[in-house]
Amino acid sequence: MSGNESPELGQADVDRSVRQVCANGICMQTNVVEAKLDEGNIQEAESALREGLSLNFEEARALLGRLEYQRGNVEGALRVFDGIDLQAAIQRMQPSVTEKQPSKKGRTKSIESVPGVSQHAAGLVLEAIYLKAKSLQKLGRLTDAARECLSVLDAVEKIFDSGIPDVLVENKLQETVSHAVELLPELWKQAGSYSEAMSAYRRALLSQWNLDNDCCARIQKAFAVFLLYSGVEVCPPSLAVQIDGSYVPRNNLEEAILLLMILMRKVYLGKIKWDPSVLEHLTFALSVCGQTSVLAKQLEEVMPGVLNRIDRWRSLALCYFAAGQNKNALSLLRKSLHKHEEPDDVLSLVLASKICSEDVFLAAEGVKYAQRAITNAEGSNEHLKGVGLRVLGLCLGKQAKVATSDFERSQLQSEALKSLDGAMALEHENSDLMFELGVQYAEHRNLDAALQYARKYVDATGGSTLRGWRLLALVLSAQHRYSEAEVVTDAAFDETTKWDQGPLLRMKAKLKTSQSRYIDAVEPYRHLLSLVQAQRKSFGPFRNAPQVEEDKVNEYEVWHGLADLYSSLSHFKDAETCLEKARGLIEYSADTLYTEGMMFERQGENDKALSAYINALLVEPNHVQCKILLGSLLTKMDPGMLPLAKALLSDALRIEPTNRVAWYHLGLVHRDDGRVADAADCFQAASMLEESDPIEKFSSIL
């Protein structure tokens, strides 16, 4: 007999060392039976087993087929199994294999006390059909194999109509049932019948098969993998199996995540052993749907010692970064990059520098991480050198924004462009790098280079991303090519969904305003308001804070922009109405107070305007526009306020060096103070910046 088959496949015990088979407390040598099988005398071999072990026809056939299967004679085993009448066997088993029924005297009646076929017989026949399915599988007859395996489960449900009782079933019979439950969906998958496979998985997990924890876990994992990677969209569970108040997954991804999280919970409770592939699949599933904060919680719950702590920190940092929790992510990366841990890990260094590149106050720290990443990008990590140069350029560009002198700022901007150009030389097809180079050149006022990279980015992405169109339109507007910028925004409307058109509509309104077409600028805002109304209806009357934050069209920005437009047209009553709408959404906002101050100033109410500007700076101390208008207003109200006005305007230029309005008003302050040469320099700077001034800041698209 072959030793390939696992020992659980069989109710009769086979002693392979002495080649014996045992059943009903009787043992016999297999050499006589095997000799008859070798001669092709199946009936004589069957008779020998029936007489030697006191078996009936089905039992003898089942045991005979098992012997053939173990000898590796799959086709011979199949011929033997074909002679078994499963339905007849089931009918004889049903009265004997039933649940204990309480008698009138309160006693219970065991299934073995009922006359008829024992559980040994039931197990032997069911195992025979299971082995028949395995034989068909080996012969490539997968659909037939699945049907035979299905018949095993149908038979079990007929025999145990209330599910398999936990304490009443012999281990051998339970093992056969467990193997059949696990095999059936695999057979349907191999046969290409994915709908049947899905049904088999759900039947395996929802019916009472009395599966052990390990078997159930294997089925749950296999089902989750099928849901994630099969490419077949399955229907949600039927209403018949849903419990009131329970969570019902709506699609493949949700059902797979639910299964994998159940498996993780079983690991934490000690019911099953740790399986790293479960966490890998869960990581993929939660990353696909953007639920990295949930993944972080799962990682945090993994017991210490299971995962390498640095790997855990790195994975948690990625999760937090994707969830927008940069502070937590950077804290973990600092721990992993400590000199006593893994200070030269390139992936951690690159991620840390990327996080730092998003905050001007962390940019200097990010530069150090990026430089270390570039230094260590050797061997298997050499491909990350371009990424290191890219994040170095981003950090240097961000650091330039808080430089203390014009010389330092210019030097940092030049180094940033040099790093990004170096990254581009290594990664010619990186579309994100094209975009970042376009923005850097635009902020450096090298508009020709910025336009070149903006067009490259749109071509590389096929016009599928909104930010590419916005960058192209902003660069054209900085070149005062307003009609071409409008053509670009119109083209962008055709390539984007209506929910992504909010920034485009605001840009279109500003393009019209820049051309003094104020009335025409009202129309885009009307479209924006219609999008806001549609957005509200999609969520219903009750919306929570996260839903408001995730709105594709920011309602506050729409009302505030409309208030600015009406204020420019001197329609102050309409502007005030829009401001009231904006205040209803954000009660204390520097932008709202800034617009309110402009309205008061245009109406000659300087004291109220002054109060509004001061309040705006109390809300947001670095609000550049408020500093500019407050400095200008102080100059008008009292010539003695020139030093304070100069300080405010200088501070505004420290924050935003390319603000032409700030340079212009600083020139006025110098002129009124008698510093003609300084005034001329400021006016010249304002004039030069006006020639390349976009309708929105280039940084607004980052």
Side-chain angles (χ1 to χ4, degrees):
M1 290 181 292
S2 171
N4 296 331
E5 191 59 43
S6 56
E8 69 270 8
L9 296 178
Q11 303 296 336
D13 299 322
V14 179
D15 187 339
R16 298 181 185 181
S17 61
V18 295
R19 304 177 70 81
Q20 286 185 342
V21 62
C22 302
N24 296 327
I26 306 171
C27 295
M28 67 174 291
Q29 300 287 335
T30 60
N31 54 350
V32 176
V33 178
E34 289 179 347
K36 295 182 181 297
L37 287 174
D38 292 338
E39 295 172 1
N41 296 324
I42 296 177
Q43 291 183 346
E44 292 183 14
E46 175 200 318
S47 298
L49 283 174
R50 291 178 65 179
E51 294 171 2
L53 297 176
S54 300
L55 301 174
N56 62 27
F57 173 77
E58 284 83 10
E59 294 168 0
R61 279 270 171 169
L63 187 54
L64 194 61
R66 182 182 187 277
L67 289 172
E68 282 283 60
Y69 184 84
Q70 287 187 330
R71 286 164 44 137
N73 186 3
V74 177
E75 293 182 353
L78 194 57
R79 286 194 296 271
V80 174
F81 290 139
D82 282 337
I84 298 176
D85 187 348
L86 179 62
Q87 297 304 320
I90 292 172
Q91 289 177 0
R92 289 199 297 275
M93 293 175 200
Q94 276 184 287
S96 62
V97 189
T98 57
E99 290 191 46
K100 295 181 180 181
Q101 299 294 333
S103 65
K104 293 181 180 180
K105 295 182 180 180
R107 298 180 180 177
T108 58
K109 185 163 74 170
S110 169
I111 58 173
E112 293 294 352
S113 66
V114 182
V117 184
S118 67
Q119 281 197 57
H120 279 287
L124 202 58
V125 174
L126 291 175
E127 180 202 31
I129 307 305
Y130 169 75
L131 290 178
K132 182 179 180 181
K134 292 286 289 182
S135 301
L136 289 167
Q137 180 188 24
K138 291 185 176 182
L139 293 173
R141 295 166 57 184
L142 298 171
T143 302
D144 292 336
R147 291 194 181 113
E148 292 296 335
C149 193
L150 179 62
S151 68
V152 173
L153 302 185
D154 290 341
V156 172
E157 287 188 335
K158 288 180 181 179
I159 297 168
F160 302 99
D161 55 357
S162 298
I164 298 180
D166 191 10
V167 297
L168 298 181
V169 178
E170 290 187 346
N171 290 337
K172 295 295 185 180
L173 174 58
Q174 179 63 61
E175 287 174 7
T176 300
V177 173
S178 299
H179 283 296
V181 169
E182 194 171 353
L183 177 64
L184 180 58
E186 297 301 320
L187 290 173
W188 284 126
K189 283 194 299 183
Q190 293 173 19
S193 302
Y194 299 116
S195 177
E196 287 80 359
M198 180 271 295
S199 299
Y201 274 125
R202 287 189 175 144
R203 183 182 184 186
L205 297 174
L206 294 171
S207 298
Q208 297 297 323
W209 302 113
N210 195 30
L211 304 175
D212 61 42
N213 286 327
D214 289 336
C215 180
C216 185
R218 288 195 299 271
I219 295 171
Q220 287 173 326
K221 176 184 169 182
F223 190 20
V225 170
F226 173 73
L227 290 166
L228 285 175
Y229 311 116
S230 68
V232 179
E233 189 64 35
V234 301
C235 300
S238 64
L239 294 173
V241 299
Q242 295 178 16
I243 303 173
D244 290 341
S246 63
Y247 170 74
V248 179
R250 295 169 295 180
N251 51 48
N252 284 27
L253 195 58
E254 289 187 5
E255 192 166 0
I257 291 171
L258 180 62
L259 288 165
L260 292 168
M261 291 181 76
I262 290 172
L263 287 171
M264 292 293 288
R265 178 59 56 187
K266 287 182 177 180
V267 171
Y268 305 148
L269 295 175
K271 293 183 177 180
I272 59 175
K273 293 181 180 179
W274 168 252
D275 182 354
S277 66
V278 172
L279 183 58
E280 291 170 5
H281 294 309
L282 185 60
T283 299
F284 169 77
L286 289 171
S287 300
V288 166
C289 62
Q291 295 296 323
T292 53
S293 57
V294 178
L295 178 58
K297 185 177 180 181
Q298 292 293 320
L299 287 167
E300 289 169 352
E301 290 180 354
V302 176
M303 294 297 290
V306 174
L307 293 175
N308 178 279
R309 65 176 182 172
I310 296 178
D311 290 339
R312 189 205 294 258
W313 290 341
R314 190 185 300 116
S315 299
L316 278 170
L318 279 168
C319 292
Y320 285 133
F321 174 61
Q325 301 178 38
N326 289 1
K327 185 177 180 181
N328 292 337
L330 187 58
S331 176
L332 288 164
L333 289 170
R334 284 169 177 158
K335 290 172 68 176
S336 70
L337 291 170
H338 190 272
K339 63 181 180 180
H340 296 308
E341 302 294 347
E342 292 187 8
D344 297 328
D345 180 64
V346 178
L347 286 174
S348 297
L349 288 167
V350 167
L351 180 58
S353 59
K354 172 62 177 174
I355 293 171
C356 291
S357 72
E358 298 181 4
D359 188 334
V360 292
F361 300 108
L362 295 172
E365 182 182 354
V367 169
K368 295 177 183 177
Y369 289 137
Q371 289 171 340
R372 285 164 56 187
I374 295 168
T375 303
N376 290 284
E378 299 174 348
S380 61
N381 291 319
E382 190 173 359
H383 65 288
L384 293 173
K385 187 173 183 179
V387 182
L389 286 168
R390 175 186 169 191
V391 291
L392 176 60
L394 294 176
C395 288
L396 289 168
K398 194 69 77 171
Q399 190 180 1
K401 295 182 183 297
V402 291
T404 55
S405 67
D406 291 340
F407 173 76
E408 183 185 1
R409 181 182 303 110
S410 177
Q411 187 179 32
L412 288 170
Q413 287 177 338
S414 298
E415 290 178 9
L417 287 171
K418 182 180 177 181
S419 295
L420 290 173
D421 283 330
M424 196 70 206
L426 295 173
E427 301 182 8
H428 307 286
E429 305 300 325
N430 190 325
S431 59
D432 290 333
L433 191 51
M434 295 175 191
F435 175 80
E436 287 156 1
L437 264 169
V439 173
Q440 288 291 334
Y441 275 117
E443 290 188 330
H444 210 50
R445 290 303 192 266
N446 187 342
L447 297 181
D448 290 335
L451 184 63
Q452 178 186 358
Y453 279 109
R455 284 173 171 163
K456 279 185 178 181
Y457 179 74
V458 172
D459 291 340
T461 57
S464 60
T465 59
L466 177 63
R467 66 178 187 171
W469 293 108
R470 291 182 65 196
L471 175 60
L472 185 55
L474 281 178
V475 174
L476 289 170
S477 73
Q479 294 179 327
H480 293 218
R481 297 159 66 177
Y482 298 117
S483 58
E484 292 179 56
E486 285 196 66
V487 171
V488 168
T489 55
D490 290 337
F493 283 122
D494 297 332
E495 300 293 335
T496 54
T497 63
K498 68 174 183 177
W499 297 116
D500 293 326
Q501 291 175 0
L504 290 173
L505 287 166
R506 284 196 300 274
M507 186 175 286
K508 192 169 186 178
K510 290 178 181 178
L511 282 169
K512 295 183 183 299
T513 303
S514 299
Q515 300 171 74
S516 300
R517 295 160 55 191
Y518 297 106
I519 301 299
D520 293 341
V522 175
E523 188 61 28
Y525 280 108
R526 287 178 179 167
H527 286 297
L528 279 167
L529 288 174
S530 66
L531 285 178
V532 167
Q533 294 299 323
Q535 193 169 252
R536 279 183 172 180
K537 290 178 181 178
S538 67
F539 282 112
F542 305 104
R543 297 195 296 166
N544 54 34
Q547 287 175 332
V548 174
E549 290 177 3
E550 291 174 5
D551 283 351
K552 294 288 187 180
V553 183
N554 189 313
E555 186 176 355
Y556 168 80
E557 291 181 0
V558 175
W559 288 115
H560 178 255
L562 200 51
D564 276 342
L565 179 58
Y566 281 131
S567 177
S568 301
L569 292 169
S570 299
H571 294 177
F572 299 118
K573 188 175 180 180
D574 292 334
E576 181 58 36
T577 301
C578 294
L579 283 178
E580 285 297 325
K581 295 282 190 182
R583 288 192 201 98
L585 296 166
I586 302 178
E587 187 173 1
Y588 300 106
S589 167
D591 288 333
T592 306
L593 290 165
Y594 160 74
T595 303
E596 189 179 273
M598 282 198 306
M599 287 170 54
F600 286 133
E601 189 173 353
R602 285 169 181 165
Q603 295 176 78
E605 300 182 46
N606 291 342
D607 290 337
K608 290 184 178 179
L610 184 66
S611 177
Y613 293 145
I614 292 172
N615 287 336
L617 289 174
L618 290 173
V619 174
E620 188 178 330
N622 288 329
H623 197 287
V624 172
Q625 287 78 9
C626 278
K627 287 179 181 290
I628 294 170
L629 291 188
L630 180 57
S632 173
L633 184 59
L634 289 172
T635 305
K636 294 176 185 176
M637 293 178 68
D638 185 357
M641 292 291 186
L642 287 178
L644 180 56
K646 179 184 174 183
L648 286 166
L649 292 166
S650 298
D651 197 40
L653 287 170
R654 177 188 62 80
I655 300 169
E656 196 176 311
T658 56
N659 192 301
R660 65 177 180 84
V661 180
W663 282 110
Y664 172 74
H665 284 290
L666 184 59
L668 292 177
V669 169
H670 283 312
R671 184 198 64 185
D672 293 345
D673 202 26
R675 300 180 180 181
V676 179
D678 290 340
D681 290 340
C682 292
F683 289 142
Q684 184 178 8
S687 177
M688 292 175 63
L689 287 170
E690 187 177 15
E691 293 175 1
S692 58
D693 198 33
I695 55 172
E696 290 179 2
K697 291 188 292 185
F698 290 112
S699 59
S700 66
I701 58 178
L702 293 175

